[in-house]
Amino acid sequence: MEERRSARVGTVSGLALLAGGTAMAAVAGDTHTIFSSTLLGLLAVVMGHALLTEIRRQARRRSAGGWAVQDTVNSVLLAVFAVGALTATVLPVAAPPIRAVGLILTIGYAVSCVYFVRERRRAITTPTSEEAAGR
């Protein structure tokens, strides 16, 4: 059971870091061509979609115990990523494209955190069809 819990946390945080890192790589550096920047940007968008799908899957899962430790870890990690992206955005040494992507990542991570918490609470409080039929 412990292996499944760590996999749940690793999937969300791993996808979040991959999407953010890919987005930063798309704009960072002077040697990128328009083609490589476009492909990295599209890859970041696709990973963002995969992150949203995984957040939705994690939040809507059914568990007997309600809110679990992995739910707290997922929420905290998404919030920490939002703060980290905001920090990178306000640093005076960051180039304008990196600041723009940092702002987008800050908003994306914050919205993802709120969405996860809201959907998870909704999944916990909504009775399943078996519970509703048994009452």
Side-chain angles (χ1 to χ4, degrees):
M1 187 74 172
E2 284 300 316
E3 291 178 31
R4 295 184 75 163
R5 286 184 181 174
S6 63
R8 288 183 189 133
V9 171
T11 306
V12 170
S13 61
L15 280 170
L17 286 177
L18 280 172
T22 305
M24 283 294 188
V27 298
D30 296 329
T31 59
H32 288 125
T33 64
I34 217 57
F35 181 72
S36 65
S37 294
T38 303
L39 284 180
L40 283 170
L42 287 172
L43 182 60
V45 169
V46 169
M47 280 194 226
H49 180 266
L51 173 63
L52 180 62
T53 302
E54 182 63 20
I55 287 173
R56 188 176 297 129
R57 189 185 70 79
Q58 292 281 332
R60 293 179 181 170
R61 74 180 188 283
R62 289 289 173 188
S63 61
W67 189 272
V69 173
Q70 64 264 25
D71 300 326
T72 302
V73 172
N74 280 332
S75 302
V76 168
L77 283 175
L78 287 170
V80 166
F81 295 158
V83 170
L86 181 62
T87 303
T89 302
V90 298
L91 288 176
V93 295
I98 292 177
R99 285 184 174 191
V101 171
L103 181 62
I104 292 168
L105 288 175
T106 300
I107 294 167
Y109 288 143
V111 168
S112 296
C113 182
V114 170
Y115 178 71
F116 175 78
V117 170
R118 188 186 64 152
E119 288 297 311
R120 185 68 187 132
R121 285 185 173 180
R122 184 180 292 166
I124 291 169
T125 58
T126 304
T128 62
S129 56
E130 294 90 26
E131 291 173 352
R135 289 185 179 174

